[in-house]
Amino acid sequence: MEPKEQVEALENKAMEDLNDVNDQDALMNFRNTYLAKKSELSALMGKMKDIPAELRGAFGKIVNDTRAKIEAAFNAKKEAIERKAMELKLKAEEIDLTLPGRTHQAGAVNPCWVIVDEMMDIFAGMGFDIVEGRDVETDHFNFELLNVPKDHPARDMQDTFYIDDSLLLRTQTSAAQAHYMLSKGGKEPIKMICPGKCFRRDDDDATHSHQFGQIEGLVVDKNISLADLKGTLELFVKKMFGEKREIRLRSSFFPFTEPSVEVDVSCAKCGGKGCNICKGTGWIEILGAGEVHPNVLRMCGYDPEVYSGFAFGVGIERLAMLRYGIDDIRRIYANDIRFLKDFSEK
């Protein structure tokens, strides 16, 4: 076959193969076959030395024109394939402008954190230190230093989750008070509160949870009496619930305080007259308190003949439920954004 005929045959074959090219991979294979440096078309140029000198110019022109035709057809096919790929991509990413837009909802602080922040502000304003406790405690700090020895009946009311024989999830933030008293060496006055989580093996219902928040307070100094406790709690209640709210103390029992009291606050709905919220009594129980037991002072390094003190503990969820009318404690932990939205609107 003459060189000219070889060029024409190669051109026809290239155009036929190009018709079958439909994607990028096939396009690349075509380019390597017909347009690369080692393609058949380039190989024909290598035969130039075998062609008579007077025919070389004409043959070179034929090869160059054929390369130009193949390149033009190749570029057109490449543009068509890329345009089709872009159309498919745009169709796959098509945005329906008739759909409603996505908006960002404003969040709200959980009511428990509102209560914690406000209580810390109130007590910090009264000169109390804010102390962080440990979620995992030893039996020694959680019970024994708080005048609850092994086999004491009070442990039954605070059954909790044990990690081993001596480690447990704390049942109350009072353990932080024992740590704090020991750190002072029995010589310095103390005014502190400790907010944190507590854990007890309890039934989950509208008013109980196996995990709950608690804030405990402790004051230790010379000549501290129950009157100091009442004055502190009266100021706290008025700042937290309003100037018209009153408190009353009722005798109770706690192993770590003596005497011990339950603290009630006058009902906000009826003003102390009696209603369905306060069950007709005019009062709602909010916390437990009392003077620090001499045994607790002694075990934590303070001489009960010299020092005295008072302690109190309040459930954070209970305050939130009373203040905001929350009917079920489980709503606080349910991670339901509708609850927080409702709360933020209030």
Side-chain angles (χ1 to χ4, degrees):
M1 183 181 295
E2 294 295 327
K4 181 180 178 181
E5 295 176 348
Q6 290 181 6
V7 174
E8 292 175 350
L10 183 61
E11 179 183 344
N12 293 333
K13 186 174 182 302
M15 294 305 179
E16 291 177 2
D17 289 348
L18 191 60
N19 289 332
D20 297 331
V21 173
N22 295 309
D23 55 47
Q24 290 287 351
D25 290 339
L27 196 68
M28 186 60 64
N29 289 335
F30 178 88
R31 182 179 181 282
N32 292 336
T33 301
Y34 293 102
L35 298 173
K37 291 183 178 180
K38 295 183 180 180
S39 64
E40 294 183 37
L41 197 61
S42 297
L44 287 176
M45 292 297 289
K47 297 181 179 182
M48 187 74 73
K49 62 181 183 299
D50 300 327
I51 298 175
E54 63 274 13
L55 299 177
R56 289 176 183 174
F59 178 74
K61 185 176 184 303
I62 292 173
V63 173
N64 289 331
D65 290 345
T66 299
R67 176 184 290 278
K69 291 179 182 180
I70 295 175
E71 283 184 346
F74 170 81
N75 290 332
K77 175 66 75 166
K78 179 182 178 183
E79 182 179 346
I81 289 175
E82 290 177 348
R83 183 170 58 251
K84 183 178 180 180
M86 180 59 69
E87 290 173 355
L88 292 173
K89 182 178 180 182
L90 292 175
K91 187 176 181 179
E93 299 176 354
E94 184 177 2
I95 299 174
D96 187 351
L97 298 180
T98 64
L99 289 174
R102 295 180 180 178
T103 60
H104 296 282
Q105 295 183 349
V109 180
N110 190 287
C112 283
W113 286 111
V114 175
I115 295 297
V116 170
D117 289 343
E118 287 193 21
M119 285 190 65
M120 288 195 297
D121 286 343
I122 291 170
F123 282 103
M126 289 191 276
F128 282 70
D129 295 329
I130 311 299
V131 178
E132 291 188 5
R134 309 170 184 176
D135 289 347
V136 177
E137 269 295 353
T138 63
D139 183 278
H140 182 65
F141 279 94
N142 192 80
F143 287 124
E144 294 183 18
L145 287 182
L146 301 176
N147 203 35
V148 187
K150 288 180 171 59
D151 300 324
H152 193 288
R155 290 200 180 203
D156 293 340
M157 296 184 294
Q158 296 190 12
D159 194 10
T160 188
F161 305 94
Y162 282 83
I163 298 172
D164 56 32
D165 291 340
S166 61
L167 287 178
L168 61 145
L169 298 182
R170 67 179 177 187
T171 61
Q172 55 201 356
T173 50
S174 304
Q177 298 176 358
H179 282 288
Y180 200 67
M181 282 191 282
L182 287 171
S183 71
K184 297 300 182 181
K187 302 297 182 182
E188 300 180 29
I190 290 175
K191 289 180 71 175
M192 56 85 72
I193 62 167
C194 176
K197 294 192 292 288
C198 300
F199 308 86
R200 297 181 188 177
R201 191 173 63 84
D202 205 344
D203 294 331
D204 285 346
D205 57 32
T207 58
H208 296 85
S209 173
H210 65 279
Q211 174 189 306
F212 58 96
Q214 190 179 61
I215 292 182
E216 296 227 8
L218 173 69
V219 172
V220 175
D221 205 343
K222 297 176 181 179
N223 302 317
I224 297 296
S225 69
L226 209 59
D228 298 302
L229 168 65
K230 185 178 180 182
T232 300
L233 294 181
E234 279 184 335
L235 179 58
F236 157 66
V237 166
K238 290 182 182 298
K239 286 183 175 292
M240 177 62 70
F241 295 103
E243 289 295 327
K244 295 183 179 180
R245 307 302 287 276
E246 302 292 336
I247 68 169
R248 74 174 182 182
L249 308 183
R250 291 181 291 109
S251 295
S252 185
F253 168 77
F254 302 110
F256 29 82
T257 54
E258 185 182 64
S260 303
V261 294
E262 298 283 0
V263 182
D264 302 331
V265 62
S266 56
C267 180
K269 182 177 181 182
C270 66
K273 297 177 181 179
C275 65
N276 62 319
I277 299 296
C278 60
K279 300 178 181 179
T281 66
W283 300 90
I284 298 175
E285 178 187 329
I286 61 168
L287 59 89
E291 288 200 65
V292 181
H293 198 290
N295 290 346
V296 174
L297 290 171
R298 188 177 297 109
M299 287 186 291
C300 293
Y302 282 83
D303 184 354
E305 299 296 329
V306 178
Y307 288 93
S308 58
F310 66 78
F312 59 87
V314 56
I316 297 169
E317 293 84 354
R318 184 169 183 80
L319 287 186
M321 293 174 73
L322 288 173
R323 189 179 193 189
Y324 300 110
I326 300 170
D327 58 351
D328 193 327
I329 193 174
R330 290 170 294 192
R331 297 187 67 194
I332 295 173
Y333 296 111
N335 292 326
D336 189 341
I337 194 171
R338 294 171 298 180
F339 166 67
L340 292 179
K341 182 176 182 294
D342 180 62
F343 172 76
S344 65
E345 290 175 352
K346 290 179 181 179

